[in-house]
Amino acid sequence: MAVTNRSVTSRTVTQNIESVTHHSVYVRTIRRRLLQSGLSARRLLLGLPLTQNHSFLRRQWCYERRMWVRKWNEVFFTDESRICLEHHDGRIRVWRYRGERMLNSCVMHRHTGPAPGIMVWGGIGYHSRTPLVRIAGTLNCQRYISEVLELVVLPYFQGLATAIFQQDNARPHVARIVQRFFINHQIELLPWPARSPDLSPIENMWFMVAQ
């Protein structure tokens, strides 16, 4: 029952068994037996829904860079992240075996964060990182240039011999005025497939910052 319906609670399993066998069963016994069989209760993994085209472009992007080794040391990964200020109760849990974290039935698809918080921008390279930039209000292309690119990115790049700038496809990032800024300052951009935050190592940094 826990395998076919990963979000079923142990109490529901207990009630189902009692209705069939007419014998009382402790909830903790069900939990112990499920754990013994390899099923553990874990929080749902939050992920972005992908179309077939998204998946194709992601595979193509990875294939084109399959021979990169030292070149990854030149990539400067950047991103904005909303740090939630409210603790998520995490009551939504699913039963899963080891290695099933990415199983579709164990993922909750979402597009935005569930709780309010503060928006920050940051960047990491192989040898260094930038200071965090707090983004008050809505980030648009003009503010992205004046508060992030001019104040942080340009000084950071001046200390690097070679660098490739990575950003996602958020609207402030792909605006014409922003693309012109990169061209005028001869900053090389790393093409980025849509809906691919998991391809960037900076996501691991955001997890540590949020903690």
Side-chain angles (χ1 to χ4, degrees):
M1 188 174 181
V3 174
T4 57
N5 182 7
R6 296 307 179 99
S7 60
V8 68
T9 64
S10 53
R11 186 172 299 278
T12 301
V13 176
T14 302
Q15 293 172 350
N16 183 267
I17 293 176
E18 290 178 347
S19 65
V20 174
T21 63
H22 304 291
H23 292 287
S24 60
V25 181
Y26 289 110
V27 174
R28 61 175 177 268
T29 301
I30 298 299
R31 293 173 181 167
R32 185 172 62 253
R33 292 298 177 85
L34 289 173
L35 186 61
Q36 289 173 350
S37 66
L39 281 172
S40 302
R42 295 290 185 266
R43 293 181 183 179
L44 277 170
L45 176 67
L46 301 178
L48 292 171
L50 298 176
T51 64
Q52 289 186 349
N53 187 54
H54 289 141
S55 300
F56 170 77
L57 293 176
R58 284 161 55 92
R59 289 193 299 269
Q60 184 182 45
W61 184 90
C62 294
Y63 181 79
E64 292 173 351
R65 291 158 184 81
R66 67 191 185 283
M67 302 303 294
W68 281 22
V69 181
R70 294 184 179 275
K71 196 171 182 64
W72 287 115
N73 298 350
E74 303 175 9
V75 179
F76 179 60
F77 293 95
T78 71
D79 194 17
E80 297 88 26
S81 179
R82 180 170 296 278
I83 308 300
C84 296
L85 301 180
E86 296 180 1
H87 176 68
H88 191 274
D89 57 19
R91 287 179 292 181
I92 302 177
R93 293 177 179 268
V94 292
W95 296 101
R96 70 174 190 233
Y97 293 107
R98 181 182 295 275
E100 290 187 337
R101 184 168 182 264
M102 301 299 294
L103 194 68
N104 190 57
S105 58
C106 298
V107 176
M108 175 187 293
H109 296 295
R110 67 179 179 88
H111 292 274
T112 57
I118 60 172
M119 178 73 74
V120 293
W121 177 95
I124 57 172
Y126 186 75
H127 298 288
S128 58
R129 56 183 170 84
T130 71
L132 289 178
V133 179
R134 180 171 181 177
I135 307 297
T138 303
L139 180 68
N140 54 36
C141 56
Q142 293 286 356
R143 294 187 61 197
Y144 184 52
I145 292 176
S146 61
E147 298 179 19
V148 175
L149 298 181
E150 291 181 343
L151 291 183
V152 180
V153 174
L154 284 183
Y156 181 90
F157 270 45
Q158 288 175 356
L160 302 176
T162 57
I164 303 173
F165 189 84
Q166 180 275 335
Q167 60 179 5
D168 60 23
N169 299 303
R171 289 187 178 182
H173 300 169
V174 298
R176 292 182 180 179
I177 186 174
V178 174
Q179 298 300 309
R180 195 180 309 121
F181 177 91
F182 289 123
I183 294 175
N184 292 339
H185 291 85
Q186 298 181 336
I187 297 177
E188 181 182 354
L189 290 177
L190 178 67
W192 198 251
R195 298 191 178 185
S196 300
D198 56 308
L199 296 181
S200 175
I202 201 172
E203 293 300 320
N204 297 321
M205 184 201 73
W206 289 135
F207 174 78
M208 292 184 284
V209 171
Q211 291 296 100

